[in-house]
Amino acid sequence: RSVKSVLESGEKTASQLDDAHSITVSLERLHRLHGTSLLASASRLLKLGASTYATSCTIFHRYCHQVSLWNMDVWSIAMASTVLACKMEEDPRDIRHIILVFDRLYRRRRLVCVEAEVAAKILKSSQIATSELAKNKSLSEKEAILRQIKSMSPLGPV
């Protein structure tokens, strides 16, 4: 749909909805970059082709432009974009395998800690999420924690 048709119909765009919820441009950009990096990591782990990765990014960004950041979950949208891109590009992957890859990515990323002051300077925003779990842990302690967390069963929740 064109911008003109949206404006004439009186519907609110995603950026207008974000403005209503006072989401900053830098926070929205951060979430979109996070989603794109999730797609890149997942396609590397799934050994997807470049065209499948590009299609998943396109689906992800088109959806993010239609739906407010306030109502969306970046992880779910990235996973759904990967599934749809695999179907569109005829690069079949088992849905169970895609879920396991995103589970692995989640477990790895939840222990990443970014210094809030450094990130605030880079993004020029004070709205930075940091992991309390990862702040005071060394790399070897983080790896030990990851080894203790059981991954999702290939059969799903049992």
Side-chain angles (χ1 to χ4, degrees):
R1 295 175 24 183
S2 69
V3 173
K4 184 178 179 182
S5 66
V6 170
L7 293 176
E8 288 174 354
S9 68
E11 294 178 27
K12 290 190 175 186
T13 62
S15 61
Q16 289 171 337
L17 290 171
D18 287 343
D19 290 341
H21 293 294
S22 71
I23 295 174
T24 63
V25 174
S26 61
L27 183 62
E28 182 180 359
R29 185 177 300 127
L30 178 67
H31 278 271
R32 288 187 183 177
L33 288 173
H34 176 62
T36 307
S37 75
L38 283 174
L39 292 171
S41 299
S43 35
R44 197 172 329 120
L45 290 171
L46 290 166
K47 299 178 181 161
L48 299 175
S51 63
T52 307
Y53 167 66
T55 303
S56 67
C57 285
T58 303
I59 293 168
F60 178 81
H61 286 296
R62 283 187 181 179
Y63 186 80
C64 288
H65 282 290
Q66 296 294 323
V67 176
S68 171
L69 179 64
W70 189 262
N71 299 325
M72 87 177 179
D73 173 28
V74 175
W75 286 86
S76 300
I77 295 169
M79 192 182 318
S81 299
T82 304
V83 171
L84 288 173
C86 287
K87 287 181 181 265
M88 287 175 64
E89 294 293 327
E90 296 181 2
D91 191 1
R93 295 292 187 274
D94 191 21
I95 293 178
R96 201 174 322 140
H97 189 75
I98 293 173
I99 291 170
L100 288 173
V101 164
F102 275 90
D103 175 54
R104 178 174 185 257
L105 285 174
Y106 176 76
R107 291 187 311 121
R108 297 285 293 173
R109 289 186 180 205
R110 77 180 230 193
L111 289 177
V112 173
C113 178
V114 176
E115 294 297 327
E117 297 83 21
V118 174
K121 288 179 186 175
I122 293 171
L123 297 172
K124 298 178 183 164
S125 172
S126 61
Q127 300 174 341
I128 304 297
T130 59
S131 171
E132 294 295 326
L133 179 64
K135 278 187 178 177
N136 301 321
K137 305 255 186 244
S138 68
L139 182 61
S140 60
E141 290 174 329
K142 291 177 186 178
E143 289 174 352
I145 290 172
L146 282 174
R147 283 189 206 105
Q148 292 173 359
I149 298 172
K150 291 183 180 178
S151 63
M152 186 183 291
S153 166
L155 302 174
V158 181

